[in-house]
Structure formats: C-alpha cells, structure tokens
Amino acid sequence: MHERSLRVRGGSARATGVRTRGGRSSLPTRGGSRTGRVRGRGRGCPRSSVEQRPSASCAFNLIAIEDLPAGEPIEQALTERSKRSWNPRNYEPDGEDIPVILSSPAIPPSPAMYVECGGSGTSTPSSRYNIQISVHGSRSPSPSHKRVRRSLCPDQEHDTTNRDSISSLRRPLRDSEICYLLHYGSDDDDSDDESQNDNDEIVPMIIPRAAGILMDTPDDEEIEIDTAAATKPLVTSSAPSIISAPTSPARDTGMKPSHFFEFDWGTFPDSPIPPTERRESFKEHSGPTVAVSDPYEIFRLIWDQEFMEFIVQETNRYAQQLAAEMLDGGELQASSRITEWKETNVDELLVFFGILLAMGIVIKNRVEEYWNTEQNIFSTPGFKVYMSLRRFQLLSRCLHFNNSENLRNLNLDPSQAKLFKVEPVISHLNSKFTELYIMKQNIALDESLLQWKGWLNINQFIPNKAAAVGIKTYEICESQTGYLWRFKIHAHKASPTVSEADPFTASTPALVLNLIKGLEHKGYTLWMDNFYNSPALARKLKSIGFDCVGTLRTNRKYVPTELTNLKKSQMKPGQVVGYTSGDVDCIIWRDQNRVATISTYHGNAVSTKNGVTKLILIRDYNICMGGVDKKDQMLAAFPIERKRTQIWYKKLFKRLLNVSVLNAYIIHKQTATEVLDHRGFRKNLVESLLRRHSIKMQPYVFSARVQDTIFEVSRHHPAEYPRLTSLNSTNRHRHPCKVCGKRTVTYCVGCDKPVCVFTCFVKLHN
C-alpha cells in the first residue's frame, strides 16, 4: 500500500527520485533493508546468484583525519570565503581598586559598565561587586567579598608577558563589552560555514548539494547484493579508538584491470601519488566556438532561420487542424478566438519570443495585466504597441512543434511518445548547445526540476529540490559557469534488458554514457552524486578518458564489504577509512554523518583551512558539483515559464527558451569587450527582437505624449459602437467598413466612420 502511494506522485520509488538527506528513513525502500540485504538489479551490473561482494585484502583500520597525508585542493573557488576576526584589546591598569581597559581614550567610562550579572538588576559602583578577570574567561572569587561579578569578557589572545598582570586585574564592564556580549553570536553574516559573497561565480549555497555531502541517503534504485557469503568482521570495539595508518608496500596506482568488475581493494600507499599525476590531462581549448558578442546575433545562432520556419509551418498547420476539429465537434462559434486566425511568420514569432522574454523581466501575476493601459502605476503600455492581447493568446494557443498526425504512423515506445510534441525542440537545442561551446575540464551531472502541479504521468517528486514536483531533466553543465551543454527529459525508463556481455546497457549507466557522448578521451572530470556513482561505472569512465568524482552509496556492487557493513556508530567524528584498487578510490569519512565518496584520482590526502581539516576530495566536490544548481539559480530571477498554462510541453518549451538565453549570455561574457550584466543582456535582446522584427501598431493606440506618462487620446483613434439596447445583450451595432465593406463594430472617432481596426484603419487615413 505504501509503494502504491509513492507511485501516485510520480511512479515507483526509483522513478520519483526520493532521496531523503540524512538520518534513517522510516519508509521501506525498493532495495529492501538498510543492512545490505538488497534485492533487485544493480546499476549496470548483471544479475548473478553466486557473485560475491569483494573484500579488501588488508586489515580494516580507522584512521584519524589528522593522520592522513597533507595536500592542497586542486580546484579553487572564484571568490574565497572570508571569516571575521576580533582583534584583542589592550588591557592596562588605571588605579589600584578599579582597573580600566583603555579600548579608546576618546570614550569616557559610562555608568552602564557597572551592570551586575545575576543580581537584582541594579547598578552600583561599589567595589565589592568588582570581578576577577582571567585570561580564560573564568570566574575566581574575590578574597575579601563573597559576592563577585562574573567575567563576561570573551577569551582573548594576549602576549605572554601581559598574561600574569591581566589575570590579576579587577574591573567593571565597559559599554562596548556589554554591547558585544549582548550581540555575541548574532553577527554571522560572514561566518565560515554560511557566508557567501554575492558575486560568487560558483555558488555552493546550493542547499541540497552542500547539505547532501554530509549526509548518506537511502536507496531509490534496485540493487543486487548477495550477502550470503561470510564477510570479514570489522576491527572495532565498543569505544572506537584512533588507529594509526597501516604500513604496507606501495601499490601500483597505475593498475590496468583485465576486466571492469575485478577489483582488488587494498590500503592507500604510504607515499601517495599526487592527484595531478593520476588525473587525466585536459586536451581541449574551452570557450565559445563563435566570435560573436551581440546578444541578438548569439540568440539567432541558437534559434536559426531554418528552425524558426519549421515552427511557423507547424504552428500554421496546427491552427488549421484545431479549427477543423472544433468545427467537426460543433464547438466553433462566431465569437471563438480561432476565427480570427491568420497565418503567422518568422518575424511575428520572434516578436512573440521577445514578449515572452520581457515577461520574465517585468513580472506580473496574470498575462492580461501586461496589456493594462489605464492611467495608474500598474500600466505597461509597451506590450500593446507590439502585439494585441488577443493575438498573443491566439499564438500561445496554436504554438506547435510537431505534426500530431505523424504520431499514429510512427512506431514509438511510450517514453518517446510522451515527448513527441516537443522532441524537435529538444533535439535542436541539444545540437546547438554542444556546437556553440566547449566546456572547461570540470563538468557536473545532476537533475533539474521544472515545477508542474497538474496531473502528468511523467511527474517526479524530489523533496530536496525547490520545485519538489514536476518534470525532471538530466543535465550536463559546466561547473564554473552553469552552461547547459546537453540534457535529457525523464519520461520513465523503457525497461531495457541488461546484457550479460555489456552490463552498462542498464538505465542509469546508459544515461550517463549517452549524456557525455562526444567528450571521450579529452580529459574531462565528471562530478556526480550518489544517484549515479558506482565503482564499475567509475572504471568504465576512466577507460574512456574521464575522471569521476562524487558521493557513493555503499550498497553498490563491488564496494568493499568492510565499507558496506560499516555503521555510523562504529566511527568517531573525524575518522576516515578507505580503500583503493589503483584506479578507483572509495573513502568513508565520519563528520556529522557518514560520508562515502568515490574518486579516480584524489586519494586520501587532506587539507586544513581556517582550522578545519577536510579531505581534498570533499573540498573540490563542494566547489565543482554546483553547476546545474547555479544554472537554476540564474534562471530563477527571470521566470518566463511561471505563467499558468494547461499544456505541459508549452511550459517546458518556455523553460528551454529561457535556458537558451542564459547560454547565450554565458557566450557573450566570454566574447564581448564590454560585458553586460544578466539583466542588461536580456533587455538588450528583447529590444533588438522587437525593433528588428515588429511592425508596430499605428499611433492610434496612444498619443504622442505617452512617453511622459500622460495618457491623452488623439483625435483620430478607434472605438467600438455601443451595445444593443436589448436586455443582457453582448452584441454591438455593426456597420459596413468604409474601406472593405465588411460589417464591423469599430469606427474612427475623428472621422465618425466605421472602419476595421487592424486592416483598414491605416488605409482610411492615408
């Protein structure tokens, strides 16, 4: 019954992507219990009833993180975090009874310094309430009085020559010290854990990512683990102790396995090989492949003329199909909006795109509000100048990307059929994104979620995402800039049969290998979370010229048994245990939680920064894993897909249009001599689209003084005839147009002649 409830929100537990961060899950998982007895098929591994999990060939040891070899992080954040420090004050005695701290000679003592701690709240300068100050902030009683004042001064760093004299001082508190202590701990804007410069390129504030590295997650994938064979016992006691690293001969870290699934796990060598020597060398010249900096020109490289003509053709075809369907069903009426349809063209469609992008800059709740021309602060008259509201709504209704009649003639599986109507856009953008940009060495693979609350059988539920429920996409992004290089929409798996000869045909390994196709043997480093990683996949990626780094689920196949059975309670904070097979390293670090990681080049080196010691792998992961989340953050400021729609694939199209503008902006930043900010880039693009492709409505809409926000109506402007006098009638008087002769409800106020607004008004006055 519980599993059925998960399916309602987006398929099976695997398909929903439920990944609870931290702690034990009270819900049963598809993999079974959390003790290692998991049924089902692993990621990219064939089903076998006799295959056993590999064990390490050496003794199991827990090592303190301080005892690991030191090293330097390979990746550097664009903006380093800063930590606020408090400079110690100079304490000098002033008098015999009440010594005073001279923090600033210009500020005289105040009666407020005589605040009694823990008393009745009264203030008195009596010397019997003086305090005994200690360097360590402790309280020592006065020799002559029982009641003493508690020292509230924080621990300071002083010269050793002054410590003896300071410890003997007795004095009341100053105003500055009282203020400091009252606000102590509240000024954490620049703390080491939570501070972040607003100008950071890499934003590790991605909450799911930064928090997820310190937490182990439950399973949401069917994994095959055979635990029938006896495993080696853990060398632990009721109170785990810190054990020094074992001494063993250095292993050959350049091991070339004879098979992807033969792992000989052992300890790390005493003299580790530097990560830079184990890492694949990067052989690409990263950056844009075109020397274009103008926002409009970059946008038109993505949405080229050929593809725009294809959209125009499909849109016009769908409008005819829609009108015929409404006519056959008896739904077509004289007031139906489709009766006003006239064929669109590339220029009008680009103006439509420009208006969509403008809606992401000028944010309103409803589409109709953008065409508000009333004389108030909420008016936005510019939209009506370029397109009428009814025409915009009609284009939104008829916008189409594929001929629906072809769906019956094609032999598509359910996954392909669900994305049929938007597949041309997905294929085109994937081709353009990969063609126009070469990524830097660090690339991230992660999921992104487009919110969709309506019923949709491909909806996914991922609680650690901002949208939580919606359409999931798997994306390859550049870690530093967030450039989207390739993506795939999740439409449920087609249940492929896993070949015994090639187990990487399973769904998740095949997804990873398809997304990185074309980047083989170029030295890229792929950063992934534990949803994808496994030792077999890491070795496969290493064999085709990739490095692989990320978090790991220890119930994956081929993870050492010692790491699989290791519990959080068996480790003390700061302890590390890990094994290497030469080309793949698996390490578990006990921090606030049990953190399992995998890497193909980092080793077990650590680095210390601001007094905090971490694995180099962890520091690099926090910097490089946020590529997809950085892209989502930059898109959130311009939500053109936020407007309501009942057609899910049109909302997905708006999201892809938004992403294409972001990619164009990233290209602009690397090619332009005068770089615009993100908002300025979008405004420039919108103005260029409207200026180059629009045929503005004639000045009858507004007077010449509209720029001064004075909404005066000119002498010649259109108006509608009054309604009929019959009760509750919505019809208006109609008269023959003076130009075309058709009956119309509009007329020119200045001429007092009936005339059609959009077709004959200009001809009448010319």
Side-chain angles (χ1 to χ4, degrees):
M1 186 65 183
H2 170 75
E3 183 176 349
R4 182 177 179 81
S5 64
L6 286 180
R7 291 179 181 273
V8 172
R9 298 302 301 273
S12 63
R14 159 64 183 89
T16 57
V18 176
R19 296 183 291 167
T20 305
R21 297 287 186 180
R24 289 181 178 270
S25 173
S26 61
L27 305 178
T29 62
R30 289 287 300 277
S33 67
R34 297 178 57 87
T35 58
R37 294 181 298 175
V38 183
R39 295 183 298 274
R41 181 170 300 170
R43 290 179 177 268
C45 304
R47 183 184 300 274
S48 174
S49 59
V50 298
E51 190 173 6
Q52 300 179 4
R53 181 177 295 277
S55 299
S57 58
C58 57
F60 180 83
N61 291 279
L62 294 172
I63 307 172
I65 193 170
E66 294 81 4
D67 297 336
L68 294 176
E72 291 295 330
I74 300 176
E75 312 301 335
Q76 297 295 330
L78 296 182
T79 303
E80 294 293 337
R81 294 181 178 181
S82 59
K83 184 177 182 180
R84 180 180 298 173
S85 60
W86 184 48
N87 296 325
R89 304 175 183 272
N90 296 323
Y91 293 89
E92 295 182 5
D94 187 7
E96 297 179 357
D97 294 333
I98 304 177
V100 180
I101 299 177
L102 300 178
S103 61
S104 175
I107 304 177
S110 169
M113 69 173 58
Y114 297 95
V115 176
E116 180 181 0
C117 300
S120 62
T122 59
S123 299
T124 173
S126 175
S127 61
R128 67 188 182 92
Y129 293 114
N130 290 345
I131 58 174
Q132 185 89 8
I133 295 182
S134 172
V135 175
H136 302 288
S138 60
R139 183 181 68 177
S140 58
S142 174
S144 59
H145 301 285
K146 294 182 180 180
R147 297 185 64 184
V148 296
R149 187 182 305 276
R150 182 178 301 176
S151 173
L152 296 181
C153 293
D155 191 9
Q156 307 291 336
E157 296 179 4
H158 300 283
D159 245 350
T160 55
T161 57
N162 297 330
R163 291 197 177 190
D164 296 337
S165 60
I166 293 174
S167 62
S168 62
L169 296 181
R170 301 191 312 172
R171 63 159 189 82
L173 296 179
R174 279 185 164 275
D175 283 347
S176 58
E177 295 172 322
I178 294 174
C179 181
Y180 172 83
L181 294 171
L182 289 176
H183 297 283
Y184 181 73
S186 62
D187 52 345
D188 55 353
D189 292 340
D190 296 327
S191 64
D192 185 60
D193 294 333
E194 299 179 4
S195 67
Q196 185 65 34
N197 194 311
D198 291 338
N199 297 324
D200 284 350
E201 286 291 335
I202 300 298
V203 186
M205 72 157 287
I206 320 307
I207 295 177
R209 188 65 51 218
I213 184 62
L214 301 178
M215 303 177 184
D216 202 1
T217 61
D219 311 323
D220 61 349
E221 179 74 357
E222 298 181 358
I223 301 170
E224 178 186 5
I225 298 178
D226 188 359
T227 56
T231 58
K232 294 186 177 181
L234 298 174
V235 185
T236 56
S237 60
S238 58
S241 59
I242 299 177
I243 304 175
S244 59
T247 58
S248 61
R251 298 175 59 84
D252 181 12
T253 57
M255 180 190 71
K256 300 298 182 182
S258 59
H259 194 271
F260 283 123
F261 311 109
E262 294 178 1
F263 288 90
D264 182 17
W265 298 105
T267 58
F268 289 93
D270 294 334
S271 300
I273 299 177
T276 53
E277 297 183 10
R278 297 179 61 190
R279 192 179 190 181
E280 299 287 335
S281 59
F282 188 58
K283 307 177 179 63
E284 288 289 297
H285 298 285
S286 60
T289 59
V290 292
V292 180
S293 60
D294 181 68
Y296 172 80
E297 297 295 337
I298 302 175
F299 181 81
R300 292 292 279 138
L301 287 176
I302 299 175
W303 300 92
D304 54 22
Q305 185 71 15
E306 181 181 358
F307 189 66
M308 292 300 299
E309 291 176 354
F310 172 78
I311 298 178
V312 167
Q313 177 184 354
E314 294 301 329
T315 300
N316 290 330
R317 177 188 288 118
Y318 180 71
Q320 297 175 3
Q321 294 174 352
L322 179 62
E325 181 180 352
M326 294 178 63
L327 182 61
D328 295 340
E331 301 175 359
L332 188 63
Q333 300 177 3
S335 60
S336 298
R337 191 180 298 139
I338 193 64
T339 59
E340 303 175 7
W341 173 259
K342 62 178 181 180
E343 290 196 350
T344 185
N345 52 44
V346 173
D347 289 333
E348 187 180 34
L349 210 55
L350 288 173
V351 171
F352 177 77
F353 284 6
I355 293 177
L356 286 178
L357 297 177
M359 289 179 176
I361 301 174
V362 182
I363 300 178
K364 293 189 176 184
N365 291 333
R366 301 182 62 185
V367 173
E368 293 79 3
E369 294 180 0
Y370 289 98
W371 276 263
N372 176 23
T373 57
E374 298 178 359
Q375 301 182 26
N376 54 39
I377 195 173
F378 304 106
S379 176
T380 49
F383 286 85
K384 193 171 183 178
V385 173
Y386 295 98
M387 186 176 292
S388 66
L389 173 60
R390 290 182 66 87
R391 183 61 179 176
F392 178 84
Q393 293 173 335
L394 193 55
L395 282 175
S396 300
R397 174 72 182 280
C398 298
L399 186 66
H400 217 65
F401 313 104
N402 212 346
N403 188 1
S404 302
E405 296 178 352
N406 294 338
L407 181 60
R408 304 182 183 91
N409 303 326
L410 299 176
N411 186 18
L412 303 177
D413 60 45
S415 177
Q416 295 172 333
K418 292 169 186 175
L419 301 176
F420 172 78
K421 290 189 176 182
V422 76
E423 181 60 33
V425 179
I426 297 174
S427 302
H428 174 78
L429 292 183
N430 270 324
S431 175
K432 288 296 181 180
F433 291 167
T434 57
E435 174 186 337
L436 295 176
Y437 194 83
I438 299 176
M439 295 183 294
K440 296 180 175 63
Q441 185 173 13
N442 293 309
I443 58 178
L445 169 58
D446 202 359
E447 308 95 25
S448 180
L449 204 65
L450 172 64
Q451 188 177 58
W452 180 261
K453 295 183 178 179
W455 184 91
L456 186 64
N457 59 357
I458 65 173
N459 259 10
Q460 298 291 287
F461 175 62
I462 305 180
N464 59 0
K465 294 290 184 182
V469 179
I471 304 169
K472 182 169 71 172
T473 57
Y474 304 100
E475 300 178 348
I476 291 286
C477 289
E478 188 180 53
S479 296
Q480 184 177 4
T481 63
Y483 183 91
L484 177 59
W485 192 78
R486 181 175 287 162
F487 63 96
K488 179 180 176 60
I489 310 296
H490 176 83
H492 291 310
K493 298 179 293 186
S495 301
T497 56
V498 181
S499 171
E500 293 288 342
D502 186 11
F504 295 107
T505 57
S507 59
T508 303
L511 169 68
V512 175
L513 296 176
N514 287 334
L515 286 174
I516 62 175
K517 186 176 296 183
L519 302 178
E520 296 86 351
H521 305 290
K522 295 181 180 179
Y524 281 98
T525 301
L526 185 61
W527 302 81
M528 303 183 292
D529 60 13
N530 56 16
F531 185 77
Y532 309 93
N533 273 322
S534 67
L537 181 59
R539 177 169 286 178
K540 173 66 175 180
L541 293 173
K542 191 71 173 178
S543 68
I544 57 177
F546 286 90
D547 279 302
C548 174
V549 189
T551 52
L552 177 69
R553 295 177 184 173
T554 54
N555 57 1
R556 292 280 186 262
K557 262 195 164 184
Y558 309 111
V559 174
T561 307
E562 292 80 0
L563 301 185
T564 301
N565 297 333
L566 182 62
K567 306 294 183 183
K568 173 183 174 181
S569 59
Q570 295 172 308
M571 302 178 68
K572 288 184 177 180
Q575 287 185 328
V576 177
V577 61
Y579 295 100
T580 179
S581 64
D583 55 342
V584 179
D585 307 331
C586 293
I587 303 175
I588 293 181
W589 171 43
R590 171 71 159 86
D591 189 60
Q592 297 296 327
N593 211 324
R594 173 178 171 271
V595 184
T597 59
I598 186 171
S599 175
T600 57
Y601 67 91
H602 273 95
N604 61 345
V606 298
S607 68
T608 302
K609 183 178 179 181
N610 297 329
V612 179
T613 302
K614 292 182 181 180
L615 292 167
I616 292 178
L617 189 157
I618 300 294
R619 294 192 183 276
D620 290 348
Y621 179 88
N622 288 336
I623 293 175
C624 296
M625 188 57 204
V628 176
D629 294 318
K630 178 178 177 61
K631 171 194 69 69
D632 291 340
Q633 284 181 343
M634 291 189 289
L635 291 178
F638 307 96
I640 69 173
E641 64 274 10
R642 188 178 58 90
K643 302 299 179 291
R644 283 179 172 268
T645 178
Q646 296 181 353
I647 311 299
W648 68 269
Y649 66 85
K650 291 185 180 180
K651 184 172 184 177
L652 178 60
F653 162 74
K654 293 178 181 179
R655 177 58 171 259
L656 298 179
L657 175 65
N658 206 2
V659 171
S660 69
V661 177
L662 175 61
N663 280 358
Y665 170 63
I666 294 173
I667 294 175
H668 162 80
K669 287 203 304 182
Q670 302 188 30
T671 56
T673 54
E674 297 181 2
V675 179
L676 301 171
D677 62 1
H678 194 184
R679 185 180 182 87
F681 177 89
R682 287 178 176 262
K683 292 175 65 177
N684 185 298
L685 174 60
V686 170
E687 292 171 356
S688 299
L689 287 172
L690 299 179
R691 182 178 64 254
R692 299 191 185 198
H693 298 281
S694 67
I695 302 176
K696 290 187 179 181
M697 304 287 287
Q698 296 302 315
Y700 67 83
V701 180
F702 302 110
S703 67
R705 301 180 62 186
V706 71
Q707 297 179 352
D708 301 326
T709 66
I710 301 176
F711 297 86
E712 294 182 357
V713 180
S714 61
R715 180 169 176 266
H716 292 274
H717 67 277
E720 289 184 326
Y721 284 115
R723 299 182 184 276
L724 298 177
T725 57
S726 59
L727 185 62
N728 296 330
S729 175
T730 59
N731 297 327
R732 298 179 183 271
H733 291 280
R734 292 175 178 268
H735 297 279
C737 175
K738 292 298 182 181
V739 178
C740 65
K742 295 181 180 179
R743 294 174 62 83
T744 179
V745 297
T746 57
Y747 68 101
C748 177
V749 175
C751 304
D752 194 19
K753 296 179 181 179
V755 62
C756 299
V757 175
F758 297 105
T759 57
C760 303
F761 189 89
V762 178
K763 295 179 181 179
L764 176 64
H765 293 84
N766 285 341

